[in-house]
Amino acid sequence: MHFLSGLVFLPLVLKTVASSPNLQSRQGAVAFFQPSLNGGSQLDNAGDGFGEPLNVIISALSSPGVLTDAGILNWARSVNFSTECLDQHLGGPQTANLGDGNGFTNQTAEIREDFGNALLGTCLESLIGGNHFRYWRQNGPEANTGALFLARPNLNHTPEEAYPKRKKNLSENHTIAPNGYDVGRDALVASATSAPTSFGGVTYTATSETITGLLPVGSQGVNHGIALDGIVKLLTITIQ
């Protein structure tokens, strides 16, 4: 059946995702639209036919100032993430289809762990490994919610001797830890929700909800063959 009006249909669709009242329509707004209901996927395209899980969603019911590119970056800095080292991206962009009518689009940005130093800390992450997330914005003509979908792996540094027969660049110096997708998701959510966070004079509080049924359980179709527990965390972030 042709998808006629994503925004009109959204409140009904969301009832199939979870029963939480925070996922329902609020003054015409919704938290997000389920990508698979309009040809999208909760797995991005990491290449070779596999994907990484979009296992954190920043709700469109968050404060509007959080949902812009500058806003999500400032919030990320409040939980010790920042822009890539010297604004240099390592590796090719991944793509995702959020079911909003835009089809597959490149990641909006990749945000890396900064170890408490927003200026240069991500250079350390590039060298020794750490955590990062990619994000996409759901803003297409068929589901213009404004929600942000995060692919949230947890990385370990891979030593050079793991690849003895080939020369590597820095983008190959990292590998996902066992259970890394679930671990990375939970670490980010814990940082966001355990206490108010702040950066640049802005203070944030966040609440989290657990959603099942959006991601598969297990490793089928998942990049690096890493199994998932099937859980997506919905963060609603409020500026104080």
Side-chain angles (χ1 to χ4, degrees):
M1 182 175 65
H2 181 67
F3 187 87
L4 295 176
S5 177
L7 294 180
V8 172
F9 191 53
L10 278 173
L12 296 178
V13 169
L14 288 172
K15 291 179 182 178
T16 71
V17 177
S19 59
S20 168
N22 286 346
L23 295 182
Q24 308 306 315
S25 176
R26 184 183 300 170
Q27 296 181 348
V30 293
F32 70 96
F33 171 71
Q34 183 177 339
S36 63
L37 294 175
N38 193 34
S41 175
Q42 204 73 27
L43 292 173
D44 73 7
N45 180 6
D48 298 327
F50 297 95
E52 295 187 347
L54 304 175
N55 55 9
V56 176
I57 300 172
I58 298 181
S59 167
L61 303 180
S62 300
S63 295
V66 173
L67 299 172
T68 66
D69 289 341
I72 187 62
L73 175 58
N74 197 76
W75 170 78
R77 285 172 167 162
S78 81
V79 291
N80 294 327
F81 287 78
S82 191
T83 54
E84 296 191 274
C85 177
L86 304 177
D87 291 324
Q88 298 299 305
H89 177 64
L90 301 176
Q94 296 184 7
T95 63
N97 183 346
L98 302 184
D100 58 2
N102 280 337
F104 280 93
T105 59
N106 285 344
Q107 63 198 45
T108 302
E110 188 164 347
I111 309 296
R112 295 185 180 276
E113 186 176 9
D114 66 15
F115 302 98
N117 184 331
L119 183 62
L120 294 174
T122 57
C123 296
L124 182 62
E125 190 273 348
S126 296
L127 290 171
I128 69 171
N131 303 328
H132 74 263
F133 66 83
R134 311 168 194 264
Y135 76 89
W136 290 258
R137 180 174 288 105
Q138 191 173 58
N139 62 357
E142 295 176 357
N144 186 13
T145 68
L148 303 178
F149 285 66
L150 279 55
R152 180 63 175 89
N154 176 283
L155 296 180
N156 278 346
H157 185 62
T158 299
E160 180 73 26
E161 55 268 23
Y163 300 93
K165 296 182 179 180
R166 65 175 182 172
K167 184 178 180 180
K168 301 190 288 94
N169 58 38
L170 282 176
S171 68
E172 296 174 298
N173 274 347
H174 303 86
T175 185
I176 309 296
N179 300 320
Y181 294 122
D182 297 342
V183 170
R185 174 204 63 212
D186 291 344
L188 178 64
V189 170
S191 294
T193 60
S194 60
T197 62
S198 63
F199 188 87
V202 182
T203 299
Y204 306 91
T205 58
T207 59
S208 171
E209 298 179 55
T210 296
I211 302 173
T212 59
L214 300 182
L215 280 171
V217 176
S219 61
Q220 185 173 2
V222 181
N223 204 24
H224 305 294
I226 292 175
L228 308 177
D229 61 12
I231 290 174
V232 173
K233 292 290 188 177
L234 179 70
L235 284 178
T236 303
I237 304 170
T238 304
I239 295 176
Q240 296 303 292

